[in-house]
Amino acid sequence: MAAAGGAAQPPRQYKLAPQSELRVEVPPDAPVRVRLVAGTAEVFGTELPPEGWVPVPPRSKIAIFTWHGATVELDGASESEYSSDETPMVIYVNTHAILDARRARARAAAAQGAPLEASQGPRVIIVGPSDSGKSTLCKMLLSWAAKQGWKPTYVDLDIGQGSITIPGCISATPIEKPIDIVDGIPLEMPLAYFYGHPSPSVSPDVYRALMKELAQTLDKQFSGNSESRAAGMIINTMGWVENLGLELLHNSIEIFKANVILVLGQEKLWKILKDATKNKPGIDVVKLHKSEGVVPRNPKYRQKTRSFRIKEYFYGIANDLAPHSNVVNFSDVSVYKIGSHQAPKSALPIGAEPVADPTRLIAVNISTDMVHTVLAVSYAKEPDEIISSNVAGFIHVTDVDIQRKKLTYIAPCPGDLPSKLLIASSLTWYEA
C-alpha cells in the first residue's frame, strides 16, 4: 500500500512478518505518527514503546523493523509507505555483535592494566557514496551499543547535512542511551568545530585541520576514561568518495586511527580502501550491503534539508522554541574567517607556488552581506586560538545597520554572547 502524498488518510495498520520492515517517507509539512499495536519493533535500533503514539519528524525517512513480527499503525499523510522483507538488518546486527565483543575485550584489557592501545575499543568509520545509508547505520550501531550499556562516541564528519548540530560542523558527542526517535542525537554535550561551508572543497586544508583538532581532543578524553576508550567511536563521513573526496576519506581514517572501516554500497571503494590498508595491521575493511529502502536525494532536497537543520537549531524540532533577538555594536564583536580562497596553480605565473597559508585567520568587516548568514560563537580567548577551539553555539544575523553600526541577530537563548569572537560562514538561512 502506497500513500498519495498530501491526501488525507485515515489511520491504517500493517501486520509485519518477522525480519521485515515498514518504510515511511514523511513530507516536510504534514505530521505523521506511528503506534506499536502488537509485538516488538524498532526504528534504527531504538525500540518503539508499546501502545503510545510516537510523532515522526518532518522530512524523515524511517524504517520500522521487527525481529519477531509486529502490528503497527500509521496516522497522517506520508509521501510513501510500504513493507519489505529485503533488509540487511541481520548483517548489521551481526556487525554490532562483533564490535560489542571487541569492546568487552578492550574493557577487560583496561582492567588488567594494559597499555592504552590494547584497551582501545573499535573505532568504526562508515564510508560510502551519497545516499547509501551511512547515517542510518551509525544510528543503529550507536543505539544497539547504548542498549548494552556502552557509551560510544559519535563523530560526524558530514558537513553537508550535520546530524549532531548544524551543517558546516565537524562534531562529536557521547551517546549514553538509544537515540530518541523524535529528538534524534542528544545535544547536551556536543564538541563542535566550525568549518562554515557545506562542502570541503571550499578549503580542504581547513577541513583537515579541524579533523585533527577534534581527533586530538577526543584522544585526550579517551586517555583518561577507560570506559569511553573501550566503547570506541562510530564515525559518519560525507558521500564524496572520488578525487579530493577520496583523499579526505583516507585522511579521516588516518587522523581518527580507525580500525574498522565499514563500506556501504560500493565495491570499488571497498577495493581501494582494502588495498590502501593491506600493509597496516589491525585495520579491518568490511563490505556491507546498503538497504534497498535508501532514497536518493537531489541537490535541491539537500539544500532544503540544510535550511531545515538550521531552523531546527533555533526553533526546535517541533517548532516549540522561541529564539531571542539581540543587538550588538560592531565594536562589541570581532568576526573572522579561517582560510582564504587561493588561486589554483594553473592561474599563477609559470614556476610560481601559492604562498598563502590556507588555514590563516582573516578579519572580516561587518557588512550587509552578513544578513541571513550563520555565525559561530568561538570559545577562543584570543583570535589566534580560533582554529584550535570548539564553538559554543551559533547566531543568525537578521539585520546589519551600517550607519548606526549595529548588528541584530537571533540566538537560542537570552543574554550576552559567551565570546566576542565570531566565525563567518557561507551558510545562509532565510526565515519564511
Side-chain angles (χ1 to χ4, degrees):
M1 169 177 159
Q9 292 173 270
R12 53 250 175 236
Q13 277 195 3
Y14 286 86
K15 193 172 177 64
L16 300 175
Q19 295 188 23
S20 70
E21 62 189 28
L22 176 64
R23 296 169 183 163
V24 185
E25 283 188 64
V26 184
D29 47 12
V32 173
R33 54 185 191 157
V34 62
R35 183 163 70 108
L36 180 66
V37 177
T40 57
E42 59 184 55
V43 176
F44 304 147
T46 299
E47 290 183 16
L48 272 177
E51 288 302 320
W53 285 102
V54 176
V56 184
R59 293 185 186 275
S60 296
K61 294 173 174 60
I62 66 163
I64 303 163
F65 177 84
T66 177
W67 290 103
H68 307 293
T71 302
V72 296
E73 197 168 25
L74 276 184
D75 183 29
S78 67
E79 288 189 340
S80 81
E81 56 193 63
Y82 65 96
S83 58
S84 174
D85 58 5
E86 290 187 19
T87 165
M89 288 289 280
V90 172
I91 299 166
Y92 292 171
V93 84
N94 287 342
T95 303
H96 155 70
I98 293 166
L99 298 177
D100 209 48
R102 292 192 178 192
R103 293 184 181 106
R105 284 200 298 272
R107 176 189 272 165
Q112 292 166 7
L116 288 182
E117 273 190 29
S119 59
Q120 173 61 60
R123 294 188 173 205
V124 184
I125 191 163
I126 299 178
V127 305
S130 298
D131 304 316
S132 55
K134 295 184 295 296
S135 56
T136 296
L137 180 56
C138 285
K139 287 179 187 175
M140 290 181 198
L141 295 176
L142 290 163
S143 290
W144 287 332
K147 199 151 74 173
Q148 300 292 331
W150 300 103
K151 294 178 183 175
T153 298
Y154 179 39
V155 178
D156 190 13
L157 306 180
D158 185 3
I159 51 177
Q161 297 301 302
S163 57
I164 294 178
T165 182
I166 70 166
C169 288
I170 289 169
S171 48
T173 190
I175 302 297
E176 301 188 352
K177 58 185 180 181
I179 294 164
D180 191 277
I181 295 165
V182 179
D183 296 335
I185 306 291
L187 292 178
E188 287 82 13
M189 293 287 290
L191 191 59
Y193 290 82
F194 193 55
Y195 173 73
H197 313 285
S199 169
S201 62
V202 175
S203 191
D205 290 295
V206 175
Y207 184 80
R208 283 189 198 94
L210 295 179
M211 281 200 293
K212 286 177 183 173
E213 291 293 340
L214 177 56
Q216 286 169 7
T217 303
L218 292 175
D219 277 343
K220 282 177 193 166
Q221 290 180 358
F222 280 13
S223 67
N225 188 325
S226 61
E227 277 297 296
S228 293
R229 196 163 67 245
M233 299 177 185
I234 304 289
I235 305 166
N236 187 34
T237 60
M238 57 187 173
W240 187 15
V241 295
E242 295 170 345
N243 305 317
L244 175 61
L246 179 61
E247 185 185 319
L248 291 170
L249 201 51
H250 285 300
N251 295 153
S252 61
I253 291 166
E254 190 176 332
I255 289 168
F256 287 92
K257 304 185 185 85
N259 51 26
V260 177
I261 305 170
L262 301 181
V263 186
L264 279 174
Q266 196 183 92
E267 187 152 8
K268 177 186 172 187
L269 180 61
W270 171 77
K271 182 73 167 64
I272 289 169
L273 296 176
K274 191 87 173 161
D275 289 346
T277 57
K278 65 184 177 186
N279 295 323
K280 297 177 181 177
I283 299 179
D284 293 311
V285 185
V286 182
K287 179 173 55 178
L288 294 178
H289 293 294
K290 71 174 185 178
S291 169
E292 293 302 318
V294 170
V295 180
R297 298 164 296 178
N298 60 37
K300 189 176 179 183
Y301 185 91
R302 290 173 183 280
Q303 173 59 50
K304 281 185 176 177
T305 304
R306 274 197 288 276
S307 294
F308 190 76
R309 287 289 295 163
I310 294 170
K311 180 184 178 184
E312 208 174 80
Y313 175 79
F314 292 102
Y315 285 91
I317 289 174
N319 214 29
D320 55 352
L321 301 181
H324 298 261
S325 183
N326 296 289
V327 181
V328 291
N329 298 314
F330 287 6
S331 57
D332 291 337
V333 293
S334 301
V335 185
Y336 294 88
K337 71 174 182 175
I338 306 168
S340 57
H341 294 280
Q342 193 171 287
K345 283 189 180 182
S346 58
L348 297 171
I350 293 172
E353 288 291 321
V355 293
D357 175 4
T359 61
R360 74 191 177 103
L361 209 60
I362 301 163
V364 178
N365 291 324
I366 297 174
S367 72
T368 53
D369 291 343
M370 284 184 186
V371 177
H372 304 302
T373 66
V374 173
L375 306 180
V377 184
S378 177
Y379 271 128
K381 298 285 190 289
E382 299 294 334
D384 60 3
E385 297 172 357
I386 284 177
I387 197 163
S388 60
S389 300
N390 58 310
V391 297
F394 310 93
I395 62 173
H396 180 247
V397 180
T398 54
D399 187 56
V400 172
D401 187 328
I402 299 294
Q403 286 188 322
R404 294 174 58 230
K405 297 193 181 311
K406 301 276 188 184
L407 181 145
T408 306
Y409 66 89
I410 60 169
C413 50
D416 295 337
L417 294 172
S419 164
K420 68 172 190 175
L421 299 179
L422 307 177
I423 309 172
S425 83
S426 64
L427 298 171
T428 55
W429 171 51
Y430 296 85
E431 286 199 67

